[in-house]
Amino acid sequence: MSEVQEARERFLTLLQQLQLTEDVYMSFFEHGELTRLTVHQKRRVWSFHIKLQNVLPFQLYQLFRTRLAEQFSHIAQVVFTIETREPQINEQLITDYWLTAIEYVDTSPPIKERLITQMPQWTGNKLIVSCMAEMEQLTLKSKYTNKIVESYQSLGFPAISVDFQLVEATDEMKEAQAIYMEQRQMEEAQLARQAMEDFQSREKVKSETPDAIPTGPFQLGSHIKDIEIREIRGIFEEERRVVIEGFVFAVDIKELKSGRSLLELKMTDYTDSILVKMFSRDKEDAEIMTRLKKGMWIKVRGSVQNDTFVRDLVIMAQDINEIHKESKKDLAPEGEKRVELHLHTPMSQMDAVTPIDQLVAQAAKWGHSAIAITDHAVAQGFPDAFAAGKKHGIKIIYGVEANLVDDGAQIAYAEQHIHLDDATFVVFDVETTGLSTAYDTIIELAAVKIREGKVIEKFERFANPHKPLSAKIIELTHITDDMLRDAPEVDQVVSEFKEFIGDAIVVAHNASFDIGFLYTAYEKAGIQGVIHPVIDTLELSRFLNPTLKSHRLNTLCKRYGIELTQHHRAIYDTEATGELMLHLLKEAKDRGVQYHDEFNQQINKNESYKSARPYHCSILAVDNDGLKNLFKLISMAHTQTYHRVPRIRRSDLIKLRQGLLIGSGCNNGELFETMMNKSPEEAEKVARFYDYIEVHPKPVYSQLIEGGVIHDEWNLEDIIRKLVKLGKKIGKPVVATGNVHYLHENDAVFRQILVGSQGGANPLNRYKLPAVHFRTTDEMLKEFDFLGPDLAKEIVVTNTQKVANMISEVKPIKDDLYTPKIEGSDEEVTNLTYEMAHRIYGEDLPEIVKARIEKELKSILGNGFGVIYLISAKLVKKSLADGYLVGSRGSVGSSLVATFMEITEVNPLPPHYVCPSCKNVEFFDDGSVGSGFDLPNKDCPKCGTNYKKDGQDIPFETFLGFKGDKVPDIDLSATRC
């Protein structure tokens, strides 16, 4: 920033402090500069040097002068000079400023009186001052000509000519001078009085209502009219004046040494963010600043400057106005609003960003009757969700989005009792236009026939798909449209391939994909009832090499030293898979596998969950029994079946299904994938396992289209239509859920940062993240308008409410205390307490000890806390026995029962002596001693043994409260030796 720009910004800041930034004033101050400010600390004088375009009108000069003096009156005396670039003067200005100019001239009282009591004349180029005597004329001309010129110059005038003319005073002249003086004095008095009244009025309001908070919207400075609003992202350089509006997300007010306040706020319009600064002009501004709060929407007018302190562009605000930002509303009628059944909170690891309280609050504000929480595989969000539900008066549905796995993935399909040494194998691979058997087709089919470890025949054909290949398929397979243009039909190719297979065992890597396309092609070609025995080398490798992280074909080829010439071309993949099969069959034979139907018998059911692919599903707790089963499943997934992610076996879910509703989940669910990639008949088989079917808005599936998994929006709509149709066919409610990960559309950037920080480890980073904000009912209905209004309402409103109504009130946080159950725990606590008491204080316990034990045991056992004491005692005993020192912390030291059970070493009885031999005791319960450790050493008067000193005089109420019903908090710290 240049010196001129800096000077202009300083002057603008000064005008803000003086409240002179209104348009009526700014035209006179335009391009004004505060070129210099000199501070005389000893004399407490601040000297301002100001440069303007022209001389100010006298009334504006007076207003500027008065407010400047008032503004800095608590700091120092203020003086200022004005310099002008293009001064234009006239008689009115000369005469208006006359008294002020003379006021600044250092003269004797008689001379000053003579000057201020006359009316000078302006001839157009010279100021004529009248003198009544020759001596007076000589004195003024010799001593005061330059002083008067300099005084006018300090007010912004150019160097004017001043002459003193000797005249004879007439009655008319004297009368005119008297009228002039009276008028000027009245004007100046009026200006001064008005300024003082304004000041006194503000001070009176402050004194009468010192704690009054201004009402209405926040406003600092002038009102900002409706003018063009700039986007923050469009601010790249310094600018004289801009207006922006946005959301305040940070506010800080600093008190400066000068006594003024500096407001710093950070705001965003969700295109970008910027720092805004503003100095207070007076104490009132400083008080108003405290009303600006985080979360407000404001409009700011000011200049863009390069701040050298923060090394960035900031806005130096002149005016700040609070604005009303219309929040999003759910426009659906009461009783016809949706229920969100799929929602994530920050407890979904590194995936969601909005706190549950904000999500629940929004649902309640929109009038939704319930909201579900379905974090990834965890229940940590339940306590906060429970509290938010109570706070906002809305039903919480507790659930998880689980990773569901089958108990064991099959290695062999259509098992037959064929000895592997005698078998013929057809190892094949297909290349396709995509991943879906429903929407894609085979473009290349290749195979090798192997017998006794040798390739005896090959099969290789292209097939014409009758549609252009996508760029991704061309890039992946290196197959072009030209290569397929004259290729035979798929029906012909698969018919020939069926004859090629004969009765051989079919082998493929990830056989479910290849065999799925083959059987679909058979069906379209009219080939019915053909089922081949199959071996899947992918699952066979997972069985034989359980420690490998990847079982991709190229990875396995490197492991076994197999050449893979061109991956993702059917013939080359087939040849490599054939060699891989021979290696794997040899290893399987070494493990005792001789026949085709023995592969699946070898699968270790206990460990098979590791090799199975996890599918997402939603699990909702219907009642408290269901919640308990949900907790069991989550615990098992994290402690028994954890492999890369917490996994729930299908058999465990079936076993603990009571009280649970199971939804089909997102696009990573097995039902959506089956409908997308396989036949409707197979999808129907899968769907029968679930209680309800989920579909999402089309934007939530955007990554599938971007990644080429689904060709286009029409295919996506068709899959959703099929899922809705399937739900009606089998009587399962189809619900529209949002897969919510944040509240507002603008919050997407935060999730982008969160997910992006994980790099390639998170597959979400491969494509643009979908829009997964919390949608209103009307937004959701619009997303599914392609189904028609009635069907859209059914899945968005009717069915979501239906599922929500299936679920009763569930309380993850119980009102009562449920302590563990240990048979005979109360008796054991009592026995341990009295055994130690007698060991220390003898068989005949002192009354003070006996009364304290009875008081404590009554509270501890009466409120069911005995088992907590017993568990703590056993933990301490076990740790000490294992060689680990244990220290207790906190108020447990105020419990004598805890002392006798050896949970703590602190004795809370009053200070006392106790004899370790004869058990004689001396208590000091009069308050004269604070701690037993402070007692002087003493021998027992009865047996002469050295007394043991103990007792810290701590009341039991410190631990369990005045009523003795406070849940004990026993903190134990174990350290390793």
Side-chain angles (χ1 to χ4, degrees), residues 552-612:
R552 293 179 179 177
L553 180 60
N554 55 347
T555 304
L556 293 174
C557 285
K558 288 180 181 179
R559 174 179 173 81
Y560 289 99
I562 300 169
E563 182 181 359
L564 179 57
T565 305
Q566 186 178 329
H567 194 21
H568 293 300
R569 274 300 306 274
I571 186 60
Y572 300 114
D573 285 355
T574 295
E575 292 172 350
T577 304
E579 288 189 53
L580 174 64
M581 178 201 71
L582 295 176
H583 285 283
L584 296 177
L585 288 180
K586 183 177 183 303
E587 293 182 12
K589 186 176 182 180
D590 293 340
R591 296 198 184 190
V593 178
Q594 300 289 330
Y595 292 87
H596 180 256
D597 57 2
E598 291 179 347
F599 279 111
N600 294 338
Q601 299 172 15
Q602 300 296 318
I603 298 174
N604 183 350
K605 295 295 182 182
N606 293 328
E607 296 291 325
S608 61
Y609 67 87
K610 293 181 179 180
S611 61

Side-chain angles (χ1 to χ4, degrees), residues 779-790:
E779 285 179 313
M780 209 68 157
L781 288 170
K782 186 177 180 181
E783 295 287 0
F784 290 95
D785 59 4
F786 65 92
L787 296 174
D790 294 337

Side-chain angles (χ1 to χ4, degrees), residues 865-936:
F865 302 151
V867 68
I868 299 175
Y869 272 75
L870 183 60
I871 291 172
S872 300
K874 289 181 178 292
L875 281 173
V876 172
K877 185 176 181 180
K878 170 66 174 171
S879 296
L880 293 175
D882 291 343
Y884 301 115
L885 297 178
V886 180
S888 62
R889 301 185 295 111
S891 56
V892 67
S894 61
S895 172
L896 185 62
V897 171
T899 306
F900 288 153
M901 293 183 71
E902 299 183 280
I903 297 172
T904 177
E905 296 177 350
V906 178
N907 188 317
L909 290 170
H912 59 277
Y913 292 114
V914 57
C915 179
S917 298
C918 68
K919 313 303 181 187
N920 184 45
V921 295
E922 295 182 35
F923 280 93
F924 298 85
D925 55 0
D926 56 359
S928 60
V929 181
S931 169
F933 297 156
D934 296 333
L935 291 170

Side-chain angles (χ1 to χ4, degrees), residues 260-286:
R260 296 158 62 194
S261 296
L262 172 62
L263 170 66
E264 293 185 340
L265 65 92
K266 297 175 183 177
M267 61 183 291
T268 180
D269 63 358
Y270 296 105
T271 67
D272 206 338
S273 301
I274 198 165
L275 176 66
V276 177
K277 293 185 177 183
M278 186 173 185
F279 290 96
S280 64
R281 290 166 281 216
D282 51 30
K283 291 182 180 179
E284 185 177 357
D285 275 1

Side-chain angles (χ1 to χ4, degrees), residues 237-256:
E237 58 187 1
E238 295 181 324
E239 299 183 48
R240 180 178 176 275
R241 179 172 292 192
V242 296
V243 177
I244 62 172
E245 66 177 42
F247 176 79
V248 178
F249 61 89
V251 179
D252 186 27
I253 300 175
K254 298 176 181 177
E255 294 290 335
L256 306 179

